[in-house]
Amino acid sequence: MEFMRPRGTRDFLFEEMEERKKAESTLRYIFENYGYREIKTPLFEELKLFTTKSGEEIVDQLYNFKDKSDRELTLRPEITAPVARLYLNELEKTATKPIKLYYYGSCFRYERPQKGRFRQFWQFGCELIGAKSPQGEAEVIAMCSDSIEALGITGADVNINHLGIIRGLFKHFEVDSKTQRELMVVIDKGDKDLLIESLSGDKPIISNDELNQILLKLIDLVGDKSILNEVKELIKDYDEPQEAFEELKELVDLLDCFNMTNYTLNLGVARGLDYYTGIVFEIYVEGLGAQKQVCGGGTYSLIKVFGGQEVESTGFALGFDRLMNAIEELTDKEEAKSHLDAYIAPISNDVRLKAYEITQTLRRSGIRCDVDLNNKKFKKLMNYADKIKVPKIIIIGKNDLEENKVTIKDMQSGDQELVEIENIVSYLKGE
């Protein structure tokens, strides 16, 4: 009988896990440097948490099930909704705002597996709850950019828009919420031909030609802050989008203060969900092809959707697996290092007990080490130490032990030195 891993999942072996742990540690450092603290939510939640957020149509993408008490549950497809639920359960009435939190964990979607898209995947993200925008938005975007740069990924481009501009135009032209949602879904797909057909084809989504022409020009605007003049000209006759436009201008000024330069204003970045109210952004890494988007974020009022008080949140989720693809494909590779600081090699069976004792002493002193457990011949021990690229091998011999010493060999230089047992730790630590 042969057992295979489920479709759309992966196994990670030693070297790959080392790389993932390194990236995870880097991201944790950046997030915590900005004052964020980690939270953890369950792998499964009530199904209605996600249908309330995204609609009943999301069920087709979920691993949902009934438990033994006939409760409708699902493996989480993302972590934003669980964070909102956690906030309502644990933080709404007691926490001082703004609240800075981050998360890292696996999510599950029942989709067709393809390159860069799996049924089990990992997200690393954050939420800034209750901060005044656009100051909070600028800091979140800067942290996101810093995170990707810290991973060694260059050429990341942060594309930014403010949905309040489009929503303001919708309000002026009295576009109903269903039509708004339909068009925002089209914009979100990023298919220019589909958008043109949807606005100027035989059966346009919106029947107002004046609005359609404004939207076609607006959504096509991509560039640096100089395009703000073109945006201003397009919307100058309408009061409703002006506040959002001023917020976008203020955000641009704040990004300069946060030393952000790698951003593009892209009025075509959108979200298909109604609770997105302000700034939205996506980060693209050229060189990853169709899977170039490694992050999505923005400002939203999701807490209210779940019955809480009105409070804005700004956050983003990094696609951790795509980041790992970018690191693998686009960054310079460092020479693999050993997972150990030292390897202990007993020459004969009569010194093994002492070898185990020394090994434990080193481990409890913070030195990563291993010891032969299979009674291998000394030559095989040396070959193994060379194979795993361990920097030091500690040779335990009977004659050396009689003098309360061991031989420590530097595997790179070949130099070796007799060291008293009580001094092994300080010797290895270079003290």
Side-chain angles (χ1 to χ4, degrees):
M1 182 180 295
E2 185 177 12
F3 295 98
M4 303 294 290
R5 66 175 183 265
R7 187 166 184 251
T9 63
R10 292 156 293 165
D11 296 315
F12 301 109
L13 292 179
F14 309 120
E15 289 78 10
E16 194 168 3
M17 278 306 303
E18 285 294 325
E19 289 299 314
R20 292 176 74 89
K21 284 168 59 181
K22 181 180 176 182
E24 178 187 341
S25 177
T26 298
L27 293 175
R28 288 184 191 279
Y29 173 80
I30 297 295
F31 280 46
E32 291 173 10
N33 196 41
Y34 273 78
Y36 285 73
R37 293 187 292 172
E38 186 176 15
I39 54 95
K40 188 76 71 176
T41 65
L43 280 175
F44 59 91
E45 298 270 3
E46 292 184 2
L47 176 61
K48 65 181 180 181
L49 182 70
F50 299 101
T51 55
T52 299
K53 173 179 180 281
S54 303
E56 292 292 334
E57 59 271 17
I58 196 177
V59 173
D60 291 339
Q61 303 174 32
L62 302 181
Y63 280 92
N64 58 300
F65 56 94
K66 287 186 177 182
D67 69 6
K68 293 181 180 180
S69 296
D70 214 33
R71 288 176 287 241
E72 288 275 8
L73 304 173
T74 183
L75 297 180
R76 63 188 184 196
E78 43 89 7
I79 307 181
T80 303
V83 168
R85 192 263 313 145
L86 176 147
Y87 169 80
L88 287 169
N89 291 166
E90 311 290 346
L91 299 172
E92 184 177 35
K93 296 180 180 179
T94 59
T96 302
K97 297 181 182 67
I99 303 168
K100 290 184 170 184
L101 57 88
Y102 77 91
Y103 55 81
Y104 172 63
S106 56
C107 303
F108 306 84
R109 282 184 183 262
Y110 192 82
E111 297 179 318
R112 183 174 65 85
Q114 52 187 295
K115 183 179 179 181
R117 190 182 296 274
F118 302 93
R119 288 179 173 176
Q120 182 184 13
F121 56 95
W122 277 258
Q123 287 187 345
F124 207 118
C126 73
E127 297 287 340
L128 176 61
I129 302 174
K132 185 178 180 181
S133 298
Q135 294 95 313
E137 293 167 331
E139 186 183 80
V140 167
I141 293 171
M143 183 176 78
C144 189
S145 178
D146 283 355
S147 299
I148 295 175
E149 185 177 338
L151 294 173
I153 301 169
T154 58
D157 184 21
V158 185
N159 282 242
I160 303 170
N161 187 19
H162 195 310
L163 291 184
I165 296 173
I166 293 178
R167 294 200 185 280
L169 290 170
F170 286 156
K171 183 177 181 180
H172 178 86
F173 287 95
E174 298 180 344
V175 179
D176 65 82
S177 58
K178 181 180 178 181
T179 303
Q180 287 188 37
R181 194 175 302 117
E182 186 179 354
L183 182 58
M184 293 299 276
V185 169
V186 172
I187 298 171
D188 191 24
K189 289 180 179 179
D191 187 330
K192 191 172 182 180
D193 292 335
L194 177 62
L195 178 62
I196 293 172
E197 177 64 25
S198 299
L199 290 176
S200 59
D202 295 335
K203 296 180 179 179
I205 294 174
I206 297 174
S207 58
N208 188 302
D209 187 60
E210 180 183 353
L211 175 58
N212 287 344
Q213 293 306 310
I214 294 171
L215 290 175
L216 284 171
K217 293 176 183 177
L218 186 69
I219 293 165
D220 202 36
L221 289 176
V222 179
D224 60 23
K225 57 186 177 183
S226 65
I227 70 168
L228 288 173
N229 292 326
E230 298 177 65
V231 178
K232 182 178 181 179
E233 183 65 22
L234 278 172
I235 65 172
K236 66 180 181 179
D237 296 328
Y238 314 105
D239 293 336
E240 291 84 351
Q242 296 303 322
E243 182 178 353
F245 176 70
E246 292 301 321
E247 288 180 357
L248 181 58
K249 285 174 56 182
E250 185 178 352
L251 175 71
V252 168
D253 292 336
L254 285 163
L255 290 174
D256 291 339
C257 297
F258 280 94
N259 297 319
M260 272 285 298
T261 57
N262 60 321
Y263 68 89
T264 299
L265 297 182
N266 183 346
L267 278 292
V269 174
R271 294 287 183 273
L273 298 168
D274 294 342
Y275 54 79
Y276 279 92
T277 58
I279 293 294
V280 290
F281 63 95
E282 295 174 350
I283 299 185
Y284 309 132
V285 176
E286 295 301 328
L288 294 182
Q291 306 300 325
K292 68 178 182 178
Q293 184 181 334
V294 298
C295 176
T299 296
Y300 33 81
S301 295
L302 184 58
I303 305 299
K304 188 176 181 180
V305 174
F306 295 129
Q309 296 179 358
E310 179 76 40
V311 59
E312 280 196 341
S313 302
T314 301
F316 63 83
L318 292 161
F320 190 76
D321 303 281
R322 291 189 183 179
L323 288 179
M324 295 310 301
N325 288 344
I327 292 171
E328 173 67 25
E329 297 178 18
L330 306 176
T331 64
D332 295 330
K333 304 297 183 297
E334 295 182 2
E335 184 178 352
K337 296 181 180 179
S338 176
H339 63 292
L340 299 175
D341 299 315
Y343 185 72
I344 291 81
I347 289 179
S348 55
N349 286 332
D350 56 356
V351 299
R352 286 189 176 279
L353 295 182
K354 190 62 178 179
Y356 302 148
E357 180 184 318
I358 291 172
T359 301
Q360 286 302 93
T361 298
L362 296 181
R363 287 168 173 165
R364 288 167 181 167
S365 299
I367 294 172
R368 301 172 303 164
C369 58
D370 206 352
V371 63
D372 172 51
L373 300 174
N374 287 347
N375 298 340
K376 291 180 181 177
K377 300 294 185 183
F378 182 67
K379 183 177 181 180
K380 288 188 175 181
L381 294 181
M382 294 297 291
N383 288 339
Y384 176 72
D386 187 59
K387 182 179 179 181
I388 64 173
K389 296 182 172 62
V390 68
K392 298 285 193 301
I393 185 167
I394 301 174
I395 302 168
I396 313 292
K398 185 176 180 181
N399 293 337
D400 290 344
L401 283 182
E402 289 176 355
E403 299 180 15
N404 204 38
K405 296 179 179 180
V406 297
T407 297
I408 301 181
K409 181 175 182 178
D410 186 304
M411 294 298 288
Q412 186 172 10
S413 68
D415 296 337
Q416 57 186 47
E417 188 174 345
L418 275 174
V419 178
E420 292 187 4
I421 291 175
E422 64 182 24
N423 294 332
I424 297 176
V425 172
S426 59
Y427 179 89
L428 292 175
K429 290 185 175 181
E431 299 174 349

